[in-house]
Amino acid sequence: MRKKELRVVVSFATTTQAMAMEETAKAAGLKGRLIPIPRQITADCGLAWSEPAQNRVALELLMQEKKLQCDQVVELVI
Amino acid sequence: MIYMDSAATSLLRPPEVIQAVCEAMQRLGNPGRGAYDASLEAARTVYQARKEIGGLFGMDDPSRVAFTANVTEALNLAIGSLFGPGSHVITTCLEHNSVLRPLYRQERRGALLTILPCDQAGRLRYEELERALRPETKGVVCTHASNLTGNLVDIRSIGTFCREHGLVFVLDAAQTAGVFPLDMERDCIDVLCFTGHKGLLGPQGTGGLCVRKGLELDGLCTGGSGVQSYRKEQPPGMPERLEAGTVNVHGIAGLLAAVRWLERTGISRIHRRETELMRRFWQGVRLVEGVSVYGDVAVTPAENRAAVIALNIGDLPSGQVCDELAQEYGIAVRGGAHCAPLMHQALGTVEQGAVRFSFSYFNTEEEVDLAVRAVKELAKAAGSVQENV
């Protein structure tokens, strides 16, 4: 198993929102990736964006600037 | 075979479309069902297709582009969702059954329907639109071009009318998407229904609808969505709201390749080419004795028409003419009725049907000239038979 670490995790209401997040974050040079939505957020299926916690400010600024929609933004050890 | 039935489907299409479908079948998983490469790559493909198809229609929000199996499904969804019992909806006699039958069904369920008439050349009588308006009118559903005659409808004028009167405007762009410029904002379109396999040059089994922001429709089906599994209802967010089950990722990959080809080639160039071929064909057949050409082709600039010429030869059944064209000349065209019953009534071709030649960017002048020769020879033969009777 991979070692757990603190991440900032963004969940989405639709797959389309997750795709928009991935496209925008990658273009902005963020280091995160899409992961299955963690159980700590919901038992539902779906995708979430997982980003190193130290990038939280940059991530949230980007989301604000690009008007990216999401369900919630939380920090988790995953 | 000389293929001149592009209004039915784009059999002639760029090779990269076929390649994209084959690659997708080998590479892509189910979109939104996992965070592994094959699933993510499928989701990225579908997302890019939403973006680029939306962009083609002036829609800047990819989430407002929902995929369906074809334009018929998209129209059923929009019409069924918007025009319930007690509402009044306006349409035209140019429509295909993909518009008419869902509207008739809503009529049986208690909606009120007004069908705008056309003149003998199949041109819509716009002056009737204002008169059709009632307090309970909710919207207008119409085609951009008649699939039978190629006559165009002035959708900007109808869209503007709808905006002025607070009506929803649903456009059936089956015959024009990919060939004519369409802009939901400029043309005041609230719901644009498209098929992927005609002018957009993609595979069959692809289509969809673009829904303007602020207008929410209900899907035809509910089911798997890849998100919010424990909800009892379909997730409310677009596009999942309208897409239950796995979308046709392989087809959509082909459609994306096709749209990119269209963008590279240029829609105006494609339209110009199709117009040239249609005009060449019409010039060749218009004065042939015994040939009747339908629609507004004689009175409307060719660039303001879809690349379709419908005709009949004497009183020969149109199906017989099609069969002669196929068997003797290797020319593939459509005959009979064209799923446009009201248009046939207006043209007086219910019994005879019509022979429809529809042209593609990939047709050649030589093919058109052969088609003209075939029509002339068949008309001559029909004339001789007539004289001997």
Side-chain angles (χ1 to χ4, degrees):
Chain A
M1 298 285 275
R2 283 169 294 143
K3 192 180 160 204
K4 295 189 177 192
E5 59 182 49
L6 185 67
R7 309 279 293 187
V8 55
V9 179
V10 184
S11 64
F12 307 98
T14 69
T15 305
T16 305
Q17 290 175 1
M19 290 298 116
M21 178 79 228
E22 182 190 54
E23 183 182 62
T24 310
K26 281 188 173 173
L30 289 177
K31 303 295 179 205
R33 68 179 180 91
L34 287 169
I35 60 168
I37 192 163
R39 287 283 169 246
Q40 295 94 321
I41 296 179
T42 176
D44 276 328
C45 57
L47 296 169
W49 182 260
S50 168
E51 183 73 28
Q54 64 268 28
N55 292 348
R56 178 165 188 159
V57 173
L59 178 69
E60 289 190 308
L61 277 174
L62 181 71
M63 291 175 68
Q64 211 170 8
E65 184 197 341
K66 301 292 183 184
K67 298 191 173 92
L68 294 174
Q69 292 180 304
C70 72
D71 199 21
Q72 51 180 304
V73 183
V74 294
E75 288 191 7
L76 295 173
V77 177
I78 52 173
Chain B
M1 175 183 61
I2 296 173
Y3 186 74
M4 292 185 173
D5 200 13
S6 292
T9 196
S10 56
L11 185 62
L12 310 169
R13 47 173 71 91
E16 51 262 55
V17 175
I18 297 158
Q19 196 184 337
V21 175
C22 293
E23 284 178 11
M25 292 187 78
Q26 291 169 314
R27 224 165 38 84
L28 300 186
N30 197 329
R33 301 322 196 249
Y36 54 91
D37 281 349
S39 176
L40 286 177
E41 204 47 46
R44 290 176 191 127
T45 300
V46 173
Y47 177 70
Q48 283 305 319
R50 294 191 206 282
K51 265 181 84 171
E52 297 187 31
I53 290 166
L56 200 62
F57 303 138
M59 164 63 75
D60 62 3
D61 181 353
S63 76
R64 308 300 299 182
V65 180
F67 288 111
T68 57
N70 46 48
V71 71
T72 298
E73 187 183 323
L75 286 160
N76 270 269
L77 191 160
I79 290 168
S81 184
L82 286 167
F83 306 114
S87 64
H88 173 238
V89 53
I90 301 168
T91 191
T92 82
C93 70
L94 279 75
E95 305 308 316
H96 188 276
N97 272 337
S98 57
V99 167
L100 292 173
R101 285 178 175 160
L103 285 173
Y104 291 145
R105 183 163 62 179
Q106 292 312 100
E107 195 177 29
R108 287 194 297 276
R109 290 172 174 169
L112 303 164
L113 177 62
T114 298
I115 300 172
L116 302 179
C118 60
D119 64 17
Q120 284 182 325
R123 289 173 299 186
L124 187 63
R125 289 173 54 189
Y126 295 93
E127 71 277 12
E128 298 292 331
L129 184 56
E130 185 92 40
R131 256 194 292 245
L133 205 57
R134 301 179 186 195
E136 61 273 34
T137 305
K138 190 171 178 198
V140 175
V141 187
C142 81
T143 185
H144 190 188
S146 162
N147 68 306
L148 174 53
T149 63
N151 287 11
L152 226 56
V153 171
D154 180 359
I155 55 167
R156 200 173 306 171
S157 158
I158 291 181
T160 305
F161 176 88
C162 287
R163 283 284 152 88
E164 285 170 0
H165 293 86
L167 310 180
V168 179
F169 180 30
V170 179
L171 180 71
D172 170 11
Q175 292 297 331
T176 54
V179 184
F180 286 82
L182 284 164
D183 187 306
M184 291 184 70
E185 192 52 47
R186 186 196 60 206
D187 299 328
C188 306
I189 302 163
D190 295 301
V191 184
L192 187 154
C193 300
F194 62 91
T195 182
H197 71 97
K198 296 188 182 189
L200 289 177
L201 303 177
Q204 295 178 7
T206 60
L209 63 171
C210 302
V211 185
R212 77 150 162 80
K213 285 174 199 170
L215 180 67
E216 297 305 339
L217 306 180
D218 292 323
L220 286 175
C221 298
T222 59
S225 56
V227 291
Q228 304 176 42
S229 290
Y230 291 101
R231 276 184 87 99
K232 287 189 174 175
E233 312 82 27
Q234 194 69 8
M238 282 285 285
E240 275 84 348
R241 181 188 181 94
L242 304 183
E243 291 175 351
T246 305
V247 292
N248 177 5
V249 180
H250 305 144
I252 290 168
L255 180 56
L256 176 59
V259 168
R260 287 176 173 168
W261 183 89
L262 287 171
E263 294 280 12
R264 278 200 308 278
T265 307
I267 282 178
S268 59
R269 185 171 151 199
I270 291 164
H271 175 50
R272 201 162 50 242
R273 173 70 181 154
E274 290 187 1
T275 300
E276 282 167 9
L277 295 169
M278 173 183 62
R279 188 187 285 124
R280 186 183 184 96
F281 179 75
W282 181 66
Q283 293 290 357
V285 301
R286 68 192 182 100
L287 297 176
V288 176
E289 198 176 336
V291 170
S292 308
V293 178
Y294 303 102
D296 65 2
V297 60
V299 292
T300 301
E303 58 272 20
N304 291 343
R305 295 175 42 72
V308 169
I309 298 287
L311 57 79
N312 272 315
I313 298 175
D315 57 4
L316 287 178
S318 59
Q320 185 186 335
V321 173
C322 289
D323 203 38
E324 289 289 333
L325 288 167
Q327 297 302 315
E328 298 301 318
Y329 300 92
I331 297 171
V333 294
R334 181 170 174 182
H338 293 253
C339 303
L342 304 181
M343 197 71 249
H344 279 290
Q345 283 171 13
L347 299 174
T349 55
V350 170
E351 292 301 320
Q352 193 174 12
V355 184
R356 182 186 68 183
F357 294 78
S358 50
F359 303 94
S360 153
Y361 177 83
F362 298 104
N363 284 126
T364 64
E365 279 80 1
E366 292 72 27
E367 289 176 333
V368 169
D369 293 346
L370 178 63
V372 169
R373 179 163 72 82
V375 170
K376 284 179 176 170
E377 288 177 3
L378 289 174
K380 191 174 174 189
S384 306
V385 171
Q386 197 73 27
E387 281 169 18
N388 292 337
V389 170

